[in-house]
Amino acid sequence: MSGAAEDLSIGQVAERTGLSVHTLRFYEREGILANAVRRGAGGRRLYSEDDVEWLRLCVILRASGMPLPAIRAYTDLVRQGAGTERERLDLLRRHREDVIAQIDRLTRCLDLITFKVGVYEDHLDRGPAEHVCGASSPPERTPRNQRAASAQ
Amino acid sequence: MSGAAEDLSIGQVAERTGLSVHTLRFYEREGILANAVRRGAGGRRLYSEDDVEWLRLCVILRASGMPLPAIRAYTDLVRQGAGTERERLDLLRRHREDVIAQIDRLTRCLDLITFKVGVYEDHLDRGPAEHVCGASSPPERTPRNQRAASAQ
DNA sequence: GCTTGCCCTAGAGCCGACTCTAGAACCTAG
DNA sequence: CTAGGTTCTAGAGTCGGCTCTAGGGCAAGC
């Protein structure tokens, strides 16, 4: 499936991955391509659809905060071929946990920020109250009801 | 409430905010303190509990990806005092949207990673299948049932 | 035959956010 | 009196992840 023999230029790959051509070359130097890029006339890089798929995976890993060295480690495992599946799975699982942790952290931040937004909304549509400061923990989840909260 | 007259040293503030003393001085230079730090004997910084609260808020904003210039902007508004509440609210609301967007992105990444983990689990406990590649979109949400998927 | 556009390499530059260094002052305990 | 710990300043260094520059090649179209 999908294994057409269409060769793609670096510019085309940039278009379909959202990465810049600079970044594509940079990733290659960093060892972040599952299979070595072939070269065409004049030394130009030739990419396959598989390369694009691989890069899209890399984009997702990056977007979820995986550092380049970790992506390189994963790439190395893939390049080593069969027998490294267990390690790849472990690596992905660890990253998965990491992403979950990130989401948790962000969600907790979001709660506090939402609380703070609530405090300001109160403050603005019921006239100024006393002073209004730090990150004071959402005391009991009722921004629109109580007046001890910070609005700095 | 809580407004004791206890002065805190930079080291104590570092402890209770989780920031390093270096970072505290750095933030100060960057204009990220709602009220100017007082100085004690020998020019040493004296922080109040309010400063700690403020810094905790900054930590949350940073942890949720707000860049220092935006935090400085917010700090400036706070320093200008009453009358800037609308702007502060807007700034916080924008950040709130941003955090929600981050969580969305991460959640989408998580789905793909989870899918990929599923593919590897399949692959490992039902013996190797064909080749296994990019980020191929979770075709119909059934990792453990279908065998077209990528395991690179 | 010349411009335009895409591509090449090696290496430098940039940005954000810290992080650390050097050299010196002060305070407290032994 | 001295050693250890904390703090001070100004400024340099680090790190991750790009991003760009210089200088050049090649191919297609006017």
Side-chain angles (χ1 to χ4, degrees), chain B residues 69-118:
Chain B
I71 300 185
R72 178 165 42 233
Y74 185 60
T75 308
D76 285 347
L77 291 174
V78 170
R79 265 201 295 253
Q80 284 169 50
T84 60
E85 290 83 356
R86 182 85 236 164
E87 284 174 83
R88 297 185 220 168
L89 175 56
D90 289 347
L91 199 153
L92 287 179
R93 274 184 179 154
R94 258 177 278 126
H95 182 55
R96 191 167 170 280
E97 291 314 304
D98 191 80
V99 175
I100 290 169
Q102 284 184 67
I103 293 174
D104 282 2
R105 248 191 319 95
L106 281 178
T107 303
R108 266 178 284 115
C109 290
L110 182 58
D111 284 348
L112 284 169
I113 293 161
T114 299
F115 171 76
K116 199 106 182 110
V117 164

Side-chain angles (χ1 to χ4, degrees), chain B residues 57-79:
Chain B
L57 173 60
C58 292
V59 166
I60 285 158
L61 295 176
R62 280 293 304 126
S64 51
M66 186 182 280
L68 290 183
I71 300 185
R72 178 165 42 233
Y74 185 60
T75 308
D76 285 347
L77 291 174
V78 170
R79 265 201 295 253

Side-chain angles (χ1 to χ4, degrees), chain A residues 126-142:
Chain A
R126 307 200 182 175
E130 49 263 51
H131 95 127
V132 149
C133 152
S136 40
S137 42
E140 272 321 325
R141 217 67 293 267
T142 44

Side-chain angles (χ1 to χ4, degrees), chain B:
Chain B
M1 304 161 191
S2 86
E6 297 287 342
D7 283 332
L8 301 169
S9 72
I10 196 168
Q12 290 172 313
V13 174
E15 256 174 44
R16 45 202 92 178
T17 57
L19 298 165
S20 73
V21 295
H22 291 304
T23 302
L24 285 170
R25 290 193 277 247
F26 169 67
Y27 277 10
E28 187 181 335
R29 282 206 295 274
E30 292 292 292
I32 275 169
L33 275 174
N35 4 245
V37 260
R38 286 155 300 127
R39 298 303 181 114
R44 299 188 169 197
R45 289 169 179 82
L46 296 177
Y47 297 84
S48 66
E49 282 299 339
D50 276 6
D51 293 329
V52 173
E53 274 316 292
W54 173 257
L55 284 164
R56 287 211 240 259
L57 173 60
C58 292
V59 166
I60 285 158
L61 295 176
R62 280 293 304 126
S64 51
M66 186 182 280
L68 290 183
I71 300 185
R72 178 165 42 233
Y74 185 60
T75 308
D76 285 347
L77 291 174
V78 170
R79 265 201 295 253
Q80 284 169 50
T84 60
E85 290 83 356
R86 182 85 236 164
E87 284 174 83
R88 297 185 220 168
L89 175 56
D90 289 347
L91 199 153
L92 287 179
R93 274 184 179 154
R94 258 177 278 126
H95 182 55
R96 191 167 170 280
E97 291 314 304
D98 191 80
V99 175
I100 290 169
Q102 284 184 67
I103 293 174
D104 282 2
R105 248 191 319 95
L106 281 178
T107 303
R108 266 178 284 115
C109 290
L110 182 58
D111 284 348
L112 284 169
I113 293 161
T114 299
F115 171 76
K116 199 106 182 110
V117 164
V119 170
Y120 270 108
E121 282 167 347
D122 261 27
H123 180 81
L124 281 171
D125 60 46
R126 308 200 181 174
E130 49 264 50
H131 95 128
V132 149
C133 152
S136 40
S137 43
E140 271 321 326
R141 217 66 290 270
T142 45
R144 293 199 160 256
N145 278 337
Q146 35 118 67
R147 202 103 299 273
S150 51
Q152 231 169 43

Side-chain angles (χ1 to χ4, degrees), chain A residues 29 37 65 79 96 124 148:
Chain A
R29 282 206 296 273
V37 261
R79 267 201 294 254
R96 191 168 170 279
L124 281 170

